[in-house]
Amino acid sequence: MNRPATGDPLQMLGIQEAATQLGVTMRALRFYEDKGLIAPQRVGTTRVYSRREIVRMQLILRGKRLGFSIREIKEFLDLYDADPEHLEQVRQLRSKVGIRITDLRKQKRAIEQTLEELLLIDRQTREWLEGRLAGGGGHDA
């Protein structure tokens, strides 16, 4: 199974090759299989991954990077399989992306606020320490 990755839709990869190509562990591939997100074929007891499974894994990994849950990713993939026109999938994706954007903007504002507060504390404590060191280290709190 040591064939190079090509655009050949019939190409089959073993689990090690698939993991290497995707930049994940074999354990990760088995995890997503257990969750029902991918379904590699079997040749005896060996898992073999078609181009379809590789593409599905790329979509799964992208979904994870974007912060979607396994459940949400499974919903997208199920819609993809059920809707040949992909209209409902795209509508659902757009809706979920909008929600994710809103959530991330809220998180960004919270992080910026926290960072500003920490920078203020850092400046105040630095100034306080510099004042103590310059003034002989008094014991006022």
Side-chain angles (χ1 to χ4, degrees), residues 15-127:
I15 191 168
Q16 181 69 54
E17 293 170 305
T20 300
Q21 182 175 328
L22 292 162
V24 299
T25 63
M26 292 184 296
R27 183 177 178 190
L29 290 175
R30 289 188 291 267
F31 170 81
Y32 291 116
E33 180 182 357
D34 289 344
K35 296 294 182 185
L37 278 79
I38 58 172
Q41 298 174 25
R42 300 284 180 148
V43 176
T45 59
T46 304
R47 291 172 172 89
V48 290
Y49 295 80
S50 66
R51 182 73 190 140
R52 177 182 184 273
E53 299 311 312
I54 298 298
V55 169
R56 286 175 71 90
M57 272 302 301
Q58 290 168 335
L59 292 171
I60 292 164
L61 295 171
R62 184 175 187 204
K64 289 302 292 173
R65 270 194 315 275
L66 295 174
F68 292 106
S69 69
I70 295 289
R71 182 183 52 78
E72 290 170 320
I73 293 168
K74 185 167 181 359
E75 288 173 8
F76 294 143
L77 293 173
D78 289 347
L79 283 171
Y80 184 85
D81 290 339
D83 178 12
E85 297 287 318
H86 308 300
L87 295 175
E88 188 56 33
Q89 180 195 28
V90 172
R91 284 186 191 110
Q92 286 289 332
L93 178 60
R94 188 158 185 260
S95 172
K96 298 283 186 178
V97 164
I99 292 167
R100 186 77 181 120
I101 288 169
T102 299
D103 291 346
L104 286 172
R105 284 183 173 149
K106 286 178 187 174
Q107 288 177 348
K108 181 181 176 187
R109 283 191 296 274
I111 289 169
E112 288 170 347
Q113 183 179 357
T114 301
L115 184 57
E116 286 176 24
E117 192 170 342
L118 289 169
L119 288 169
L120 175 63
I121 292 168
D122 181 59
R123 190 186 85 233
Q124 290 171 337
T125 56
R126 179 178 32 82
E127 290 171 357

